[in-house]
């Protein structure tokens, strides 16, 4: 538990104090956010707001994780390092995308094909490596099974697991990116899901099959270190949210949204809760589905289902204030996270 508290506390302080420094640097360099002309008109006033804020909470998370291990003397685990690798790797892809946007002063950065190649390269390395490195109990960081509250069904084999992992990574990283359309809208729900994974990792540690072969034990390689990773990123996100809350002084950009999507998928895969992530991230799933419905509906009928997609922009054009949308969406996210944690606990309870 000490590891978790140190990681979260250090990351929180680092990001809360480091973000205004980053804001000044970005302002001095003139790297302000470009706003798409086809978005809500109210967003045009946000043009020039400092971006690439995800850089700060990525670095802060890494610092929090490292300090936690230095203070406690516990060695980092391969599971923790893999989760941080996926977060940082996707964050780097997003950083390149953001840099092109602000450097060339256009609303579109990397071409979609180039961005997807970057996501695939990072994702393949993560997925393949997660099936390696068995511990003394022959448990690897990930397994090649599907999972909801734990592994189930037949083995997918590495040849199917890697594409499945890539699908999860691409879907969640783009889902968080779509959610990041209003001030604080992505950071709040992501923080709630990260808090859930602190609880899940700690619970799996206390009921690990490596400690006792109880009927409902968990075969997870490094549950404590995954909780530390979740806590470090949670602290970083909360420190960032102080400056990202409406009206935002800085945006996380693709740097932050891709990184958050990556670390959430990494935690889901490595804690054997892949499909539970869809429940915990119910708000992100809803927002992503709104885009799919809008595009699919328009192609089939020529009519728009929503006034604008993603979903938050539909409510903006319906007259809702930005802060009203953000708070209400946070409440929905809290409900989804509560349902997810409830399912996780109920499954564990002795029958």
């Amino acid at each position: 538990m000490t590891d978790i508290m140190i990681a979260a506390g250090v990351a929180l302080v680092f990001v809360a104090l480091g973000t205004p420094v980053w804001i000044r640097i970005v302002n001095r360099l003139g790297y302000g956010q470009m706003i798409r002309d086809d978005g809500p008109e109210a967003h045009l006033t946000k043009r020039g707001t400092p971006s690439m804020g995800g850089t700060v909470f990525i670095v802060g998370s890494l610092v929090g994780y490292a300090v936690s291990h230095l203070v406690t003397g516990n060695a980092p685990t391969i599971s923790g390092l893999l989760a941080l690798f996926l977060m940082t790797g996707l964050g780097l892809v997003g950083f390149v995308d953001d840099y092109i946007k602000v450097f060339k002063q256009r609303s579109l950065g990397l071409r979609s094909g180039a961005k997807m190649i970057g996501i695939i390269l990072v994702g393949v390395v993560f997925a393949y490596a997660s099936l390696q490195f068995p511990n003394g109990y022959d448990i690897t960081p990930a397994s090649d099974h599907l999972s909801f509250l734990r592994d189930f069904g037949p083995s997918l084999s590495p040849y199917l697991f890697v594409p499945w992992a890539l699908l999860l990574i691409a879907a969640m990283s783009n889902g968080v990116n779509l959610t990041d359309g209003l001030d604080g809208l992505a950071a709040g729900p992501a923080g709630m899901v990260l808090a859930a994974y602190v609880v899940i990792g700690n619970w799996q540690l206390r009921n690990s099959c490596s400690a006792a072969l109880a009927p409902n034990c968990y075969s997870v390689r490094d549950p404590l270190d995954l909780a530390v990773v979740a806590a470090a990123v949670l602290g970083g996100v909360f420190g960032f949210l102080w400056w990202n809350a409406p009206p935002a002084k800085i945006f996380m950009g693709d740097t932050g949204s891709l990184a958050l999507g990556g670390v959430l998928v990494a935690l889901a895969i490595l804690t054997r809760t892949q499909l539970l992530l869809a429940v915990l991230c119910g708000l992100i799933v809803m927002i992503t589905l709104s885009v799919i419905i809008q595009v699919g509906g328009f192609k089939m009928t020529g009519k728009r289902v929503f006034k604008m997609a993603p979903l938050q922009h539909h409510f903006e054009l319906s007259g809702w204030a930005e802060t009203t949308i953000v708070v209400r969406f946070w409440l929905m996210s809290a409900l989804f996270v509560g349902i997810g944690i409830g399912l996780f606990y109920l499954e564990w309870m002795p029958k």
Side-chain angles (χ1 to χ4, degrees):
M1 198 65 181
T2 303
D3 313 54
I4 293 172
M5 295 176 64
I6 293 174
V10 170
L12 173 63
V13 173
F14 182 96
V15 177
L17 298 179
T19 300
V21 176
W22 180 252
I23 291 173
R24 288 194 293 271
I25 293 172
V26 173
N27 278 330
R28 188 175 299 120
L29 295 174
Y31 290 166
Q33 177 70 35
M34 295 298 297
I35 303 297
R36 296 182 64 173
D37 295 330
D38 57 352
E41 289 185 12
H43 287 203
L44 296 177
T45 60
K46 301 181 181 184
R47 187 186 300 270
T49 301
S51 187
M52 298 186 284
T55 305
V56 188
F57 68 71
I58 291 172
V59 174
S61 302
L62 297 174
V63 170
Y65 179 82
V67 171
S68 171
H69 285 283
L70 285 172
V71 172
T72 61
N74 296 329
T77 67
I78 188 62
S79 297
L81 294 176
L82 281 170
L84 292 174
F85 165 79
L86 186 58
M87 177 186 74
T88 307
L90 293 188
L92 182 59
V93 174
F95 183 87
V96 173
D97 185 55
D98 286 333
Y99 183 79
I100 293 173
K101 290 177 186 176
V102 298
F103 183 74
K104 295 190 175 182
Q105 288 294 289
R106 68 187 195 194
S107 60
L108 297 176
L110 278 174
R111 296 184 183 277
S112 58
K115 184 188 291 188
M116 187 55 62
I117 289 173
I119 292 173
I120 289 173
L121 289 175
V122 176
V124 166
V125 173
F126 166 81
Y128 175 77
S130 68
L131 295 177
Q132 313 304 314
F133 309 104
N135 64 5
Y137 297 93
D138 203 33
I139 301 174
T140 53
S143 74
D144 57 2
H145 290 73
L146 294 176
S147 61
F148 180 45
L149 303 170
R150 59 182 77 235
D151 288 341
F152 68 86
S155 168
L156 295 178
S157 83
Y159 302 104
L160 292 178
F161 172 78
V162 171
W164 166 244
L166 287 176
L167 176 62
L168 293 178
I169 292 167
M172 186 53 60
S173 58
N174 283 286
V176 177
N177 186 252
L178 291 171
T179 304
D180 186 35
L182 298 179
D183 299 352
L185 185 57
M192 296 178 199
V193 178
L194 288 165
Y197 273 109
V198 173
V199 174
I200 288 171
N202 192 50
W203 192 258
Q204 290 178 333
L205 171 69
R206 297 176 184 278
N207 298 277
S208 172
C209 295
S210 301
L213 290 174
N216 294 326
C217 65
Y218 297 97
S219 295
V220 176
R221 190 187 191 282
D222 306 298
L224 175 59
D225 209 36
L226 292 173
V228 172
V229 170
V233 184
L234 172 63
V237 168
F238 274 15
F240 174 76
L241 188 56
W242 180 266
W243 303 99
N244 183 237
K249 300 295 188 296
I250 188 169
F251 299 143
M252 69 170 66
D254 281 20
T255 306
S257 59
L258 294 188
L260 283 178
V263 75
L264 292 177
V265 171
L267 291 168
I269 290 175
L270 300 178
T271 59
R272 315 295 208 265
T273 56
Q274 299 161 17
L275 299 180
L276 180 64
L277 183 64
V279 179
L280 295 171
C281 294
L283 176 67
I284 296 172
V285 172
M286 280 176 48
I287 289 173
T288 304
L289 286 176
S290 73
V291 175
I292 296 173
I293 292 170
Q294 182 83 327
V295 174
F298 186 77
K299 286 183 176 180
M300 288 189 293
T301 67
K303 297 180 180 179
R304 290 179 172 84
V305 178
F306 304 104
K307 294 181 179 180
M308 184 178 287
L311 186 62
Q312 61 268 27
H313 297 327
H314 169 81
F315 290 108
E316 272 193 290
L317 296 183
S318 298
W320 289 24
E322 180 172 355
T323 51
T324 301
I325 298 169
V326 170
V327 172
R328 288 177 177 172
F329 275 35
W330 281 3
L331 292 173
M332 285 192 288
S333 180
L335 179 61
F336 282 119
V337 170
I339 292 171
I341 289 292
L343 290 172
F344 182 80
Y345 179 72
L346 286 173
E347 189 272 342
W348 172 85
M349 289 181 66
K351 304 297 188 291

